[in-house]
Amino acid sequence: MITGNARVAGVIGWPVRHSRSPLLHNFWLRRYAIDGAYVPLPVAPEAFETALRGLRAAGFAGANVTIPHKEAATALCDTLDAAAQRAGAVNTLVFSGGGIHGSNTDGYGFIANLAAHGVAATGPALLLGAGGAARAIAAALQDAGAQVTLANRTRSRAEALARSLPGLRVLDWKDRAVAVAGHALLVNTTSLGMAGQAPLDMDLQYAPAGLAVADIVYAPLETRLLAEARARGLKAVPGLGMLVHQAVPGFAAWFGIRPEVDGEVFAAISAGA
Ligand code: ATR
C-alpha cells in the first residue's frame, strides 16, 4: 500500500522501458511491506538536469541513473563516493538536505555477483571492452587486488582507460583468444551477445582449467559465451546477478532495509527474459 508518507525512487534513463530495476525494487518493497514505490523515469538528455532537480524538489528519496546519463550525472552531484570518482560515472543518487550524493555501485555489484558464484575477484582478469562498464569493473577488480588486462576492438579507447587506471595492461583485440591462457577470470563488458546484437566472437580453446567466465549481458540470461564456457567445464557467471547486487546499496539508502538476494528475486525479474 502506498500512503501519503511513501518513500519514492526511480530509474532515470532514455529509453528506460527495458529496465528491470522497477520489477526488482518493487519486488523488494512488497517483500518487506515498505510504504514506497519505484518508478521508471524516461528523461531525454536535454531534460536531465531539470528532471533531476525536479525530482529532488518533489521529495524523491533518490534515483538510479542509467544510459545515457551516467557521466552527465556526476557534474550535478554535490558529493561523489570514491567509486563514482574513479569511474567518472554515477548509477545511484541519494537526495538529502545536504544535496545530491552520487555513487557508483556497478563495480560492487560485479564483485558481489562473483562472490555469490564462489569466484574470487583477485584475478588475473582479462576484460573485453573499454566502455563505461569496463571502467567500473576494472577499477573494482584492481581495488580487490587483481591484475587487470583490457582488450578492446579500438585499442586507443583501452589505452585511454589505462591512463586513468594506472597498472591496467592493454592487449590487441586480435590477441584475446591466446591471452586468456594466463588468466583466472574472463569478463565480457561489451554489449555483444545481447538479444538483437551480434554475438561476441571469443574462442575459448586456450582457456585454462579453472577459468571463470563472466558476462555483463543478461538478456538472454545465458549468452553464447557462457554456454561455451559451461560446455568446456568452465565456471560461468551470468550477468543478471550484477544487476541485482548493484541495486542493494540504493534500496538500503532510500528505503532503510538492506534487501536480501535470493532465488525468488531472480524469479521475479527473469520473467520474459
Ligand atoms: P558502455 O555502455 O559500456 O559505455 P559502449 O561505449 O557502447 O558501452 O562500449 C561498447 C563496447 O563494445 C566497446 O568496447 C566497443 O568497442 P569499440 O570501443 O571498439 O567501439 C565494443 N563493441 C561494440 N561492438 C563491437 C564489435 N562488433 N566487435 C568488438 N567490440 C565491439
Side-chain angles (χ1 to χ4, degrees):
M1 194 196 320
I2 298 175
T3 74
N5 198 34
R7 306 269 297 164
V8 185
V11 53
I12 309 171
W14 185 259
V16 80
R17 64 184 176 279
H18 298 300
S19 173
R20 305 276 172 98
S21 293
L23 279 175
L24 174 59
H25 286 277
N26 287 299
F27 171 82
W28 279 328
L29 287 168
R30 278 194 302 277
R31 168 180 276 182
Y32 298 109
I34 291 169
D35 185 10
Y38 183 103
V39 294
L41 299 161
V43 176
E46 60 274 18
F48 182 66
E49 178 168 0
T50 308
L52 199 63
R53 303 217 182 278
L55 291 170
R56 181 162 178 245
F60 269 57
N64 282 125
V65 179
T66 187
I67 291 167
H69 303 305
K70 286 184 174 187
E71 284 82 16
T74 58
L76 301 176
C77 291
D78 299 295
T79 53
L80 290 173
D81 78 349
Q85 285 176 29
R86 222 156 155 225
V90 151
N91 74 341
T92 305
L93 301 172
V94 176
F95 303 150
S96 70
I100 302 175
H101 178 68
S103 57
N104 191 316
T105 66
D106 285 332
Y108 161 80
F110 179 79
I111 302 280
N113 188 36
L114 285 185
H117 286 83
V119 174
T122 45
L126 176 60
L127 267 54
L128 305 179
R135 178 185 289 268
I137 290 170
L141 286 169
Q142 284 188 329
D143 288 345
Q147 170 65 56
V148 180
T149 301
L150 219 68
N152 191 53
R153 177 180 60 178
T154 308
R155 186 180 168 113
S156 57
R157 268 189 98 191
E159 282 167 352
L161 219 161
R163 280 194 289 280
S164 63
L165 294 176
L168 206 73
R169 289 190 196 141
V170 174
L171 274 182
D172 264 3
W173 182 245
K174 64 172 170 40
D175 296 331
R176 66 195 182 285
V178 175
V180 80
H183 292 87
L185 177 63
L186 171 69
V187 188
N188 174 37
T189 76
T190 76
S191 50
L192 296 171
M194 194 186 287
Q197 294 247 13
L200 172 71
D201 176 17
M202 179 68 196
D203 179 359
L204 293 177
Q205 69 169 304
Y206 301 103
L211 180 78
V213 180
D215 205 327
I216 68 159
V217 171
Y218 57 80
L221 292 170
E222 175 98 337
T223 59
R224 194 168 91 182
L225 175 70
L226 295 179
E228 285 177 4
R230 279 190 222 279
R232 289 179 181 276
L234 305 172
K235 188 149 220 168
V237 183
L240 195 61
M242 176 179 171
L243 174 80
V244 172
H245 285 282
Q246 64 78 32
V248 168
F251 188 94
W254 305 319
F255 302 117
I257 287 178
R258 196 167 176 89
E260 209 178 313
V261 175
D262 57 20
E264 279 182 33
V265 177
F266 285 95
I269 66 167
S270 296

